[in-house]
Amino acid sequence: MSAQKDRWVSSLVLLLFCTSSIPKCGSASLQQEPSPQHYFSGLEAGKTSLAFFSPSVSPGAQPFLEQIESSAEALQDYGVSVVKVNCPREDVSRYCGEENALRKAFLFRGNRLIREFPTDALFDVNSVVANVLFALLFNEVKYIETLADFENIENVLKGKSNMVFAYVPATGTAEHRAVMEAAFVYGTIHQFVLTTEAALLKATSHDDPDVSSAWLLFCHCQQVTEAAQPCRRTALAQPLTLLSIHRHLKLMGAPLVTEVAEDPEKISTVHLQLGLPLVFILSQKETYEADRRTAEFLAWQLLGKAGVALLSRDLVDLNVLHRSNVALKTPDEGMPIQYLVLEDTDEVITLVEDKNKVKQIQEDEQEEEEEDEDEKENNNQDIQDDQVVEAVSRDKKRELPLEQILVLTEENFHSSLSEAARTVVLFYASWEAVSLAVLRSYSEVPAHLKGTPGVLLARVNCWDWPGLCSQENVTQFPTIKIYREGQQTVTYGGMWGAEELSSFILLSQVSCPLKLATMDEAEGYLRGEFPSELSPHQHTSLLGVFSSATSEAREAFEEAGNILSGHVRMGMYFEDDALALSQKYSVSPPALLLARSGGRSVEGISLSKHSVQDMVQRIRYELLDVFPEITVPNLPQYLQLKKPFLILFSAGDITQVESKEMLKLAKGTPQQAFVACWLNLKKTPVGYGILRTYFSTTPSLPVLLWVNLHAGGQVFKFPSEQSITEMNILSWLEQLQAGLEIPSSTLSEEDWKPPLPAYDFLQMMEPPVPELSPHPGDTPVQHPPKSPGGDTARGDTATREEPSQESTAEEVGSPGRGLRGTAPRLAARDKQGKRHSEL
């Protein structure tokens, strides 16, 4: 199908509904052509027409012509004109001279014949439209006959797209027409598959289907991650019509579980808009994970019958019994929301399928005693577990300054990309908390980029334009991409703050690496004076110096620049006097010159390995500070090294003596084995919480700690009676390695991870290149200091598996089937132990 069809979905669906159900006035009629010569001479390339060739007087063709004329209006909606060509008596051509030809209709695209139809196959409007669309969509709609064909298509689609499988007892029926009309609209979003084989229908259905009726299955293949995993299937329960198919596909495309944080009376989802009820699972922070699994299990069971939402009671003050764990909102206007107490998911399913069940449950509840009032008063004192949702909910009424950010749709996306040299696009989902939090940061970017020419800021709401986001390979929300005319698209993978986003956009404007032509340009680049558009901004400058004999290293450096574009300021110098420039800093080409703090000091670094992977790793490693101050934005960079931390906690700036001694230690031989760093509790107050996790009370500051997060989780405290000097610290580290020190505390072995995969920011920030090794070289450090009973080799065990957002109760065992987590009387069973969620 053409790309243009993908932009017609919203408007064309409404048009198709009217086409199939409402008589029209002033509609198109059958076109008349006086002769075949006149008809063929008027055919236009790309235009489609259905032609019937007949003598001027042909009584036998009259019933067929009536059906053809009636279908002209419907076919016009799909760009197909219907033409009756009158054949002169003396015409003996292929279409007029043969008797069999007079009993056929011919489908042309331009002057190319696509398909011949016997007139007895076009017996009414449904058969005409169905057969014509079937011919036009021959390559888009797969016709299959065997179960092997079905499974082969499923396997191809896994992890990529969903499938709509339709069975019709015969082609040319009203159901066949409905399937083909739906495929015309949704064919670019889902793979449509059709069969008329009753045996195939029975093989793909768990029940004993009625083969005399049409059948439609939606196969959820896009979310399948393993080849052996089957695609879930959701059957269309209503009679197969265009309206019911559209309704079914809208429901399949809605979020499986919607997380809400406002009064249910104000909530409106696609389910309510389509006449289905919405079930709320009332959750609380102590039982969030269990409630999420319960909601997902229910959503799969009720898919196509009702929507499921997860409502946090910690964010909404509900004036209902605290033991109520389920709410039901019906699409009927004026009907109040029913708050209920249910024991398991089977009762919820029965509640949706049996309307009388609501009244019965409410009568049973009136006989029970109410919970203590103290419990209700304590509702508002709970702390929200998910800080992202909490922040978005807290500021939901705050209007964002989005006037300078262009809204993109399927209609203007590609045309808008050509309006500026660089277009920055935020792909987000308007229903998702992380997306809205990033949108808030993104709204501040225009102020940071004020006066920067050639940059257009734009956004795409993937809830409104899922086809566009899929086309742009957006697989998670939020995603930021920079489009540059004639160049490869760059995807952002850093922190989501406005300053970090602005820095990335500015750096991506400059070629990476930037080729410098003269020695003066190279020296100016190291001083931060070139390029001029970046001079007001402080960036560490990295310059690669290469001679004519080091072409392999130069090519690897250029490719590394493409990978690191937007993240690093890189220059390259390979003129004849490159040797003189490098020797000025006591290195020989190929080499890196690293200028920090505006070029006041330049460090020369020799390059021994010339592969792209080694080059990227080396550049990232060298850009890290020798003795860094740990902050929230830069912590992930140092965690990725998977080394122990030797960290100095301070109540403010550290003294010059402490800084000098720690810097000497960091630059010394043992520095390869650990990260020497410090944390300013005034700038990063979360450090107080870290110390309280390590110790029962906050120790006197400054305090120096050895923390091995990746092997054993043991925390050792440097003796407070000793002064912080290089010699004292080295002596202490030797005692640690010998196992002579007792840890002050040991962190829990329990895994800590984000509440949902969508909040796994470290995974989002992970660059699409091999991870850093502990050191730019291939060989790991042989003798790092060890904690007693600990081994740095155990660092690999820190790898964690994230739960699938689509995980179901069957995958996690029985907990998903019960509603135990949502009722306070059962919540104690699910309380989780305290998790270490900081360093």
Side-chain angles (χ1 to χ4, degrees):
M1 293 178 68
S2 66
Q4 184 181 10
K5 291 176 186 173
D6 199 27
R7 301 194 297 266
W8 292 351
V9 172
S10 299
S11 58
L12 188 55
V13 166
L14 181 60
L15 176 62
L16 294 181
F17 294 158
C18 300
T19 302
S20 58
S21 60
I22 302 176
K24 301 177 182 170
C25 56
S27 59
S29 60
L30 185 70
Q31 298 181 21
Q32 300 282 342
E33 289 288 355
S35 66
Q37 292 77 11
H38 192 274
Y39 168 68
F40 285 114
S41 65
L43 292 178
E44 300 179 27
K47 299 291 185 179
T48 306
S49 60
L50 179 66
F52 174 68
F53 296 84
S54 173
S56 299
V57 179
S58 179
Q62 190 60 35
F64 167 70
L65 287 176
E66 291 176 359
Q67 298 302 323
I68 284 288
E69 187 166 7
S70 299
S71 65
E73 190 174 16
L75 288 175
Q76 187 185 41
D77 294 330
Y78 303 100
V80 181
S81 59
V82 181
V83 185
K84 177 180 178 295
V85 182
N86 295 314
C87 292
R89 292 182 182 276
E90 66 278 4
D91 193 332
V92 292
S93 64
R94 172 187 175 185
Y95 297 104
C96 288
E98 300 179 14
E99 182 179 351
N100 288 338
L102 302 179
R103 298 175 183 174
K104 297 179 180 180
F106 301 87
L107 185 64
F108 292 92
R109 178 173 283 131
N111 58 5
R112 182 171 66 88
L113 177 63
I114 298 177
R115 186 69 59 85
E116 299 178 3
F117 300 104
T119 55
D120 57 0
L122 308 180
F123 46 85
D124 61 8
V125 174
N126 288 328
S127 63
V128 173
V129 176
N131 282 295
V132 168
L133 291 182
F134 199 14
L136 290 177
L137 302 178
F138 179 77
N139 293 322
E140 284 79 15
V141 179
K142 307 292 185 184
Y143 182 83
I144 61 174
E145 297 180 344
T146 66
L147 181 60
D149 295 335
F150 180 89
E151 292 173 344
N152 288 338
I153 294 176
E154 261 196 339
N155 290 333
V156 171
L157 295 177
K158 286 178 180 178
K160 301 175 183 177
S161 180
N162 297 317
M163 179 172 69
V164 180
F165 171 65
Y167 162 80
V168 292
T171 58
T173 59
E175 292 84 358
H176 182 208
R177 173 185 175 180
V179 172
M180 298 314 302
E181 288 182 318
F184 190 91
V185 177
Y186 293 100
T188 56
I189 303 174
H190 310 300
Q191 174 65 63
F192 278 73
V193 175
L194 180 71
T195 191
T196 56
E197 299 294 329
L200 179 55
L201 173 62
K202 292 181 179 180
T204 55
S205 176
H206 295 297
D207 303 321
D208 186 16
D210 181 7
V211 297
S212 63
S213 302
W215 193 263
L216 186 137
L217 288 176
F218 186 90
C219 303
H220 307 264
C221 297
Q222 189 172 18
Q223 59 187 267
V224 175
T225 56
E226 299 179 3
Q229 182 181 353
C231 300
R232 287 179 175 269
R233 302 169 188 173
T234 305
L236 173 62
Q238 290 77 33
L240 203 154
T241 65
L242 178 59
L243 180 60
S244 65
I245 295 175
H246 166 70
R247 184 173 178 269
H248 194 61
L249 297 184
K250 290 289 286 184
L251 292 172
M252 298 303 103
L256 184 65
V257 175
T258 304
E259 294 199 38
V260 296
E262 60 179 319
D263 189 343
E265 294 285 359
K266 302 176 182 178
I267 300 296
S268 177
T269 66
V270 65
H271 307 87
L272 293 170
Q273 296 162 11
L274 294 176
L276 296 180
L278 181 61
V279 175
F280 292 89
I281 301 298
L282 308 184
S283 178
Q284 51 193 3
K285 63 182 177 65
E286 294 90 347
T287 59
Y288 171 83
E289 292 184 4
D291 297 339
R292 176 75 192 189
R293 294 196 297 270
T294 299
E296 289 176 350
F297 174 81
L298 269 176
W300 281 115
Q301 302 302 310
L302 297 175
L303 196 57
K305 302 176 184 177
V308 176
L310 191 62
L311 175 62
S312 174
R313 303 186 66 137
D314 305 295
L315 299 179
V316 182
D317 185 15
L318 298 175
N319 189 23
V320 297
L321 294 177
H322 191 53
R323 68 169 181 260
S324 298
N325 55 8
V326 173
L328 180 67
K329 184 175 184 178
T330 62
D332 304 322
E333 189 174 355
M335 289 294 293
I337 294 178
Q338 309 294 331
Y339 291 91
L340 311 165
V341 179
L342 303 181
E343 294 296 329
D344 55 42
T345 54
D346 290 337
E347 288 194 7
V348 182
I349 296 172
T350 304
L351 179 70
V352 172
E353 297 177 346
D354 183 3
K355 295 183 179 179
N356 295 326
K357 185 70 174 176
V358 180
K359 184 177 181 180
Q360 177 186 342
I361 292 174
Q362 287 180 320
E363 291 175 353
D364 293 341
E365 286 183 5
Q366 291 176 358
E367 299 176 1
E368 297 180 3
E369 294 182 357
E370 294 185 357
E371 295 289 333
D372 293 335
E373 289 298 323
D374 293 341
E375 198 166 32
K376 182 184 293 186
E377 293 175 0
N378 290 333
N379 274 352
N380 295 330
Q381 298 177 8
D382 292 339
I383 300 174
Q384 167 60 34
D385 188 45
D386 181 356
Q387 296 179 1
V388 178
V389 176
E390 180 187 26
V392 171
S393 176
R394 184 178 60 244
D395 296 341
K396 61 187 176 182
K397 294 183 180 180
R398 170 185 163 195
E399 292 188 10
L400 299 178
L402 299 173
E403 300 81 8
Q404 299 182 56
I405 299 177
L406 180 65
V407 177
L408 298 183
T409 67
E410 289 181 346
E411 285 76 15
N412 69 354
F413 182 81
H414 295 288
S415 60
S416 298
L417 295 184
S418 61
E419 293 181 4
R422 282 168 174 78
T423 304
V424 185
V425 183
L426 167 65
F427 296 89
Y428 68 102
S430 57
W431 50 267
E432 196 260 338
V434 178
S435 288
L436 296 179
V438 172
L439 183 61
R440 184 182 307 168
S441 296
Y442 194 58
S443 68
E444 300 171 7
V445 171
H448 288 266
L449 299 182
K450 189 174 182 180
T452 303
V455 177
L456 174 66
L457 299 177
R459 57 190 172 102
V460 175
N461 186 351
C462 292
W463 172 250
D464 295 331
W465 306 104
L468 174 58
C469 296
S470 176
Q471 175 185 329
E472 295 303 309
N473 197 31
V474 175
T475 57
Q476 65 183 18
F477 306 127
T479 292
I480 288 181
K481 293 190 175 189
I482 296 184
Y483 294 84
R484 302 171 294 179
E485 187 175 358
Q487 300 183 48
Q488 187 177 0
T489 302
V490 177
T491 301
Y492 178 66
M495 299 293 287
W496 293 113
E499 291 186 5
E500 290 79 11
L501 290 172
S502 303
S503 175
F504 177 79
I505 294 169
L506 284 170
L507 277 176
S508 66
Q509 286 188 281
V510 181
S511 298
C512 189
L514 181 68
K515 295 180 175 63
L516 304 170
T518 67
M519 180 83 81
D520 289 340
E521 285 186 357
E523 296 278 13
Y525 177 83
L526 291 174
R527 291 192 298 270
E529 300 170 358
F530 189 90
S532 57
E533 56 264 38
L534 292 184
S535 56
H537 305 276
Q538 293 297 324
H539 297 283
T540 298
S541 298
L542 187 144
L543 179 66
V545 183
F546 306 92
S547 64
S548 57
T550 57
S551 58
E552 181 184 352
R554 189 183 78 187
E555 291 172 359
F557 186 79
E558 289 187 77
E559 183 59 32
N562 292 332
I563 295 172
L564 297 173
S565 176
H567 299 280
V568 180
R569 172 171 164 161
M570 291 173 57
M572 184 169 67
Y573 189 68
F574 53 93
E575 299 301 324
D576 295 337
D577 53 357
L579 180 60
L581 176 64
S582 61
Q583 288 180 344
K584 181 178 178 180
Y585 300 101
S586 304
V587 289
S588 298
L592 300 179
L593 300 181
L594 192 65
R596 306 179 193 270
S597 304
R600 287 194 294 271
S601 63
V602 178
E603 179 183 358
I605 304 162
S606 297
L607 293 175
S608 58
K609 296 188 177 182
H610 303 158
S611 72
V612 175
Q613 177 179 340
D614 290 326
M615 199 76 74
V616 170
Q617 290 179 342
R618 186 61 183 265
I619 291 171
R620 283 198 177 128
Y621 181 84
E622 296 297 345
L623 287 174
L624 296 177
D625 290 333
V626 177
F627 177 55
E629 177 187 353
I630 294 297
T631 62
V632 172
N634 71 14
L635 174 60
Q637 302 174 39
Y638 295 96
L639 284 176
Q640 286 178 345
L641 297 176
K642 295 190 175 180
K643 299 180 183 180
F645 275 50
L646 180 64
I647 181 168
L648 177 64
F649 288 81
S650 174
D653 291 333
I654 58 178
T655 65
Q656 290 185 354
V657 174
E658 292 169 341
S659 176
K660 180 179 178 181
E661 293 295 323
M662 290 295 293
L663 193 59
K664 285 166 54 180
L665 178 70
K667 290 181 176 180
T669 304
Q671 64 91 17
Q672 297 178 356
F674 55 87
V675 176
C677 54
W678 70 288
L679 192 148
N680 186 340
L681 296 178
K682 284 188 176 180
K683 290 184 181 179
T684 312
V686 70
Y688 285 107
I690 297 172
L691 289 176
R692 283 193 293 270
T693 301
Y694 294 163
F695 310 98
S696 56
T697 58
T698 303
S700 59
L701 300 175
V703 59
L704 181 65
L705 303 178
W706 173 276
V707 186
N708 197 339
L709 296 170
H710 307 286
Q714 293 176 322
V715 179
F716 294 88
K717 179 176 176 291
F718 181 74
S720 56
E721 65 274 10
Q722 296 187 26
S723 59
I724 297 176
T725 65
E726 180 187 16
M727 184 176 299
N728 288 342
I729 296 173
L730 285 175
S731 175
W732 178 60
L733 292 179
E734 288 178 0
Q735 290 182 302
L736 289 185
Q737 186 174 358
L740 301 178
E741 291 287 328
I742 299 175
S744 301
S745 62
T746 301
L747 303 181
S748 170
E749 294 183 0
E750 183 179 359
D751 224 4
W752 62 273
K753 49 196 171 187
L756 291 174
Y759 304 143
D760 190 353
F761 297 107
L762 291 180
Q763 181 66 26
M764 292 180 187
M765 292 165 53
E766 185 176 357
V769 291
E771 286 293 334
L772 287 170
S773 60
H775 186 263
D778 286 336
T779 56
V781 178
Q782 297 298 320
H783 301 290
K786 302 176 184 178
S787 301
D791 188 349
T792 55
R794 293 172 55 197
D796 292 340
T797 62
T799 304
R800 301 183 294 276
E801 294 184 3
E802 297 296 343
S804 168
Q805 195 164 359
E806 302 295 338
S807 62
T808 63
E810 289 87 354
E811 295 170 346
V812 295
S814 59
R817 298 191 66 89
L819 291 173
R820 74 194 197 292
T822 58
R825 63 180 182 277
L826 299 172
R829 305 180 194 176
D830 295 316
K831 285 186 177 179
Q832 302 175 0
K834 182 178 180 181
R835 297 183 300 180
H836 178 56
S837 58
E838 302 297 344
L839 272 181

